[in-house]
Amino acid sequence: MKISEKMLEKVETHREKIGQLLLKYTSLTESQLSEALDIQKETGHLVGEILLRKNYIHPHDIIRVVCHQIDIPFIETINIEEIDPELITDIPINYCKHHELLPMAKTNHSVEIVMTDPFNFEVLNDLQTLFKKPIHVSVASPLRIADAINRVYEKANKNIVDSLEDEFDESLDLDGPLDILDAGADEAPVIRFVNSIIFRAVKEGASDIHIEPYEKEVFYRFRINGIMTEILRQPLKTQAAVSSRIKVMAKLDIAEKRLPQDGRIKIKMAGKDIDIRLSTVPIQNGERIVMRVLEKSGKVLQLEQLGYGGKVLKDLDELSKRKHGILYVCGPTGSGKTTTLFAVIDRINSPDKMIITVEDPVEYEIPGVSQIQANSKIDLTFARALRSIVRQDPDVIMVGETRDGETASMAVEASLTGHFVLSTIHTNDAASAPNRLIDMGVQPFLIASSLIGVLAQRLMQTLCHECKEEYTPTIEEIEALDLNEIKSDTKVFKPAGCAKCNYRGYAGRTAISELLLITDEIRPLILEKADAGQLKKVGVSQGMITLRQDAINKVLSGDSSIEELMRVINDNEEELEN
């Protein structure tokens, strides 16, 4: 806050010296005041101004002293619950933030305003004209008022945030330029536009919303079934208002544009709870925003619904009955690892088992399972939470991600002391997981003793069963993909497109996987720090179905297409090769 000259002059000319008041009401020392008085004699500047420049006092110290001198109430806390949101209906949020003020209460005779500068007579006249009543002023610190402004305006917009469907305008032209160039984050066109984008993403089953500012335009893209799809473009000038609106919804600092921020938006849509995880990063032309959309249905999918079957499903069932050991699920971000882990947990969840998880964030809420939300801001890391979980006497422990040596070591120790541990790890394929743990600092003999299986998975688009078309693959396709399993007379399917699948030809995704069982033949190789190729070779010889083979099986069964198989293979060429 910038202290006005009127405020400093008011303090200086009052009957009681500012120095004595500051000594009485602040942490100012006698020596600091003496130094400021000496400088005043040389320069003629106001004592208060000198103390501020020397950082001996804060601006709110001046405010407090002024309030004491002229009998204006100084408020230490602002009770948000007592403020009627109707008071701010006609005052834009940008006006309140710029002038650091907020209406507090309204009576038949006056309006109470809290502000930082009670000598800003121009603003006081504006407010008196607006409310047509005398203004009674209280004073608070800039931080208190800024926080109150955000919370009161959020409360006023609560119905908009909580029920986006009511604000969704079916006729809104999302393909044309948006008329919000001069609009603020709290104004109707921006609110309707942002709500419509989110509503459309949920309606089309998008997992992520990407807002990307470039030199002249802002690109809006959805990730649907793992594929990025451009939805619309807008002029670059619209970015600031849209970004601010989304930040307000996520309770982030709209003034901070230089640093990355993370937040969450919780909304209801058609009776469903939608959880949106927000991430912003500053780039050359503005802030890039990604919103991950998660429908919190509370329903955990079964392994069969995820696409698991045959030998892999049977082996997973057997592994989940173990009393101790570690089962890892690996794959890149967005490959459904957490969904699979919860499908396993749901399979073994029963009253006779005590299950505790630590996650970041908690995506599925399961009755009978104790779930901990990791929070790095308060140092509640996976490792720290795991250390406490072990003392809770659980039967099953799920760790959202093994990302460092401390977490990996504690998971191993937990499994060796009679706990069944499930977790995720970032490796390209199942056979790479042991070496990844060794790289984290876990001893090979501990890995060989505790690890019972590694499940690698990817997600593959499934064909729309309403419109998929049967055809005979060309020789070129068979040769290009080296698909020996597909003969020249084999019938496979390709995408067509219909209204039910939004003319994409695909509807939903299915998991493709490979499960490496840690057998007596593989444990010695882990002790010898054998490379992933050797482990994979032994696994295949023992019946492991590779990611590539599972993808081919999905094509042969009519669930997916050669086109999709080619995409998966191209995206994961090194991981899926035989």
Side-chain angles (χ1 to χ4, degrees):
M1 172 195 174
K2 183 178 180 181
I3 300 296
S4 67
E5 291 185 7
K6 289 181 181 178
M7 190 176 291
L8 288 171
E9 289 172 0
K10 183 71 177 178
V11 176
E12 296 285 352
T13 57
H14 204 271
R15 62 182 181 274
E16 190 173 355
K17 295 292 185 181
I18 183 175
Q20 298 305 314
L21 288 168
L22 290 170
L23 286 174
K24 183 177 180 180
Y25 293 104
T26 73
S27 59
L28 184 71
T29 65
E30 291 279 2
S31 61
Q32 291 171 337
L33 176 60
S34 178
E35 179 186 348
L37 291 172
D38 291 339
I39 296 174
Q40 184 190 38
K41 291 177 183 178
E42 297 176 3
T43 63
H45 293 161
L46 299 174
V47 172
E49 182 181 350
I50 295 168
L51 291 171
L52 286 171
R53 288 180 178 176
K54 299 285 288 183
N55 290 323
Y56 290 156
I57 60 173
H58 297 286
H60 61 259
D61 293 329
I62 295 289
I63 299 172
R64 189 176 284 106
V65 168
V66 171
C67 291
H68 172 78
Q69 287 184 316
I70 61 179
D71 296 324
I72 292 180
F74 183 85
I75 301 174
E76 295 290 350
T77 59
I78 300 175
N79 191 337
I80 304 301
E81 299 303 321
E82 295 181 358
I83 299 177
D84 184 359
E86 292 294 325
L87 282 173
I88 63 172
T89 302
D90 298 322
I91 306 179
I93 188 174
N94 292 337
Y95 182 88
C96 288
K97 288 190 173 184
H98 178 71
H99 295 293
E100 297 180 316
L101 62 88
L102 185 66
M104 295 276 287
K106 183 179 180 180
T107 67
N108 293 331
H109 307 290
S110 64
V111 175
E112 294 183 17
I113 302 290
V114 62
M115 57 195 306
T116 58
D117 185 359
F119 299 105
N120 194 335
F121 301 118
E122 183 179 346
V123 170
L124 291 174
N125 288 334
D126 290 342
L127 293 173
Q128 188 161 326
T129 301
L130 175 66
F131 289 108
K132 297 181 175 59
K133 291 183 180 182
I135 303 298
H136 289 174
V137 177
S138 297
V139 177
S141 70
L143 289 176
R144 296 287 185 194
I145 292 179
D147 178 64
I149 289 171
N150 286 334
R151 293 168 63 188
V152 169
Y153 275 86
E154 176 194 342
K155 182 180 177 181
N157 292 329
K158 182 174 177 57
N159 291 336
I160 295 173
V161 177
D162 283 350
S163 185
L164 294 189
E165 189 170 13
D166 295 338
E167 288 292 319
F168 177 62
D169 186 356
E170 289 280 0
S171 62
L172 185 63
D173 181 14
L174 291 180
D175 295 321
L178 183 62
D179 186 19
I180 60 170
L181 299 187
D182 298 318
D186 58 321
E187 298 188 27
V190 183
I191 292 173
R192 285 200 304 271
F193 176 77
V194 172
N195 290 354
S196 297
I197 289 292
I198 295 174
F199 188 95
R200 180 172 172 179
V202 174
K203 185 178 179 181
E204 296 188 15
S207 61
D208 300 270
I209 304 169
H210 291 249
I211 303 175
E212 309 160 39
Y214 293 104
E215 185 178 0
K216 295 180 180 180
E217 293 180 305
V218 182
F219 287 32
Y220 290 78
R221 298 198 290 170
F222 292 168
R223 186 179 293 279
I224 302 173
N225 290 339
I227 308 298
M228 292 292 285
T229 304
E230 184 177 319
I231 301 302
L232 73 151
R233 300 184 184 186
Q234 290 293 320
L236 183 61
K237 291 182 180 180
T238 64
Q239 166 71 2
V242 172
S243 174
S244 295
R245 173 58 191 165
I246 294 172
K247 285 183 175 181
V248 167
M249 294 172 72
K251 303 178 185 178
L252 298 180
D253 183 359
I254 64 172
E256 181 56 76
K257 300 179 180 179
R258 301 165 300 170
L259 296 173
Q261 295 189 71
D262 296 309
R264 272 177 106 167
I265 302 172
K266 294 183 178 181
I267 59 175
K268 282 186 179 295
M269 186 178 296
K272 298 178 180 178
D273 291 322
I274 307 296
D275 190 13
I276 298 175
R277 282 181 279 162
L278 175 69
S279 173
T280 73
V281 294
I283 60 175
Q284 185 176 2
N285 298 295
E287 287 183 287
R288 191 182 193 280
I289 298 174
V290 176
M291 293 184 281
R292 172 153 288 188
V293 183
L294 178 66
E295 182 180 329
K296 301 190 75 172
S297 62
K299 181 180 180 181
V300 176
L301 295 176
Q302 301 298 308
L303 287 171
E304 293 87 348
Q305 294 173 293
L306 297 176
Y308 287 96
K311 183 178 184 301
V312 174
L313 181 61
K314 181 181 177 182
D315 289 340
L316 281 175
D317 276 333
E318 291 180 359
L319 291 177
S320 64
K321 295 174 184 176
R322 298 283 187 92
K323 300 296 183 182
H324 56 82
I326 303 179
L327 173 63
Y328 275 111
V329 180
C330 64
T333 301
S335 60
K337 299 186 297 296
T338 303
T339 303
T340 298
L341 277 183
F342 272 103
V344 174
I345 286 178
D346 188 62
R347 216 171 185 87
I348 61 178
N349 185 20
S350 61
D352 63 331
K353 282 190 173 63
M354 201 283 212
I355 304 174
I356 302 182
T357 73
V358 53
E359 308 162 56
D360 185 19
V362 174
E363 295 186 7
Y364 302 91
E365 295 181 12
I366 304 179
V369 177
S370 301
Q371 296 171 265
I372 300 172
Q373 168 74 57
N375 189 343
S376 59
K377 293 180 181 178
I378 58 173
D379 197 32
L380 182 57
T381 60
F382 286 125
R384 185 171 182 179
L386 185 54
R387 190 178 298 112
S388 299
I389 287 173
V390 174
R391 303 191 191 108
Q392 294 283 312
D393 188 32
D395 297 300
V396 180
I397 300 172
M398 195 275 272
V399 182
E401 182 182 346
T402 300
R403 60 177 65 158
D404 54 56
E406 184 180 6
T407 305
S409 297
M410 294 204 64
V412 167
E413 291 177 15
S415 70
L416 292 175
T417 53
H419 303 91
F420 181 49
V421 180
L422 301 103
S423 186
T424 69
I425 191 169
H426 283 285
T427 60
N428 292 333
D429 58 7
S432 299
N435 283 328
R436 176 74 180 118
L437 293 170
I438 292 173
D439 291 340
M440 289 182 180
V442 183
Q443 293 296 326
F445 73 91
L446 292 175
I447 299 171
S449 302
S450 60
L451 193 61
I452 60 174
V454 183
L455 176 71
Q457 76 170 50
R458 300 290 187 275
L459 293 177
M460 189 176 188
Q461 291 191 97
T462 54
L463 288 165
C464 173
H465 292 290
E466 296 292 325
C467 64
K468 65 180 182 181
E469 296 179 353
E470 186 178 11
Y471 85 110
T472 302
T474 64
I475 296 176
E476 289 76 13
E477 284 178 323
I478 295 174
E479 291 179 349
L481 296 174
D482 191 23
L483 301 178
N484 297 322
E485 297 85 349
I486 299 180
K487 308 301 180 183
S488 59
D489 59 345
T490 301
K491 297 292 184 182
V492 294
F493 294 87
K494 64 180 180 179
C498 64
K500 189 169 183 179
C501 61
N502 281 329
Y503 300 96
R504 293 191 178 93
Y506 295 97
R509 290 185 287 179
T510 186
I512 58 172
S513 62
E514 63 180 25
L515 177 58
L516 177 67
L517 299 175
I518 308 303
T519 62
D520 292 337
E521 289 76 21
I522 288 180
R523 288 192 183 93
L525 296 177
I526 295 176
L527 291 172
E528 297 168 6
K529 299 183 181 181
D531 61 41
Q534 291 178 270
L535 295 177
K536 186 171 186 177
K537 186 176 180 180
V538 174
V540 170
S541 70
Q542 295 179 342
M544 181 179 79
I545 299 172
T546 65
L547 284 165
R548 178 189 177 92
Q549 182 60 54
D550 198 21
I552 292 173
N553 292 342
K554 291 292 193 295
V555 173
L556 295 175
S557 65
D559 291 328
S560 196
S561 65
I562 290 181
E563 172 189 77
E564 179 65 3
L565 172 63
M566 187 176 296
R567 183 189 68 83
V568 172
I569 289 177
N570 288 339
D571 286 349
N572 306 281
E573 185 176 358
E574 293 183 2
E575 299 97 306
L576 299 180
E577 64 182 2
N578 285 319

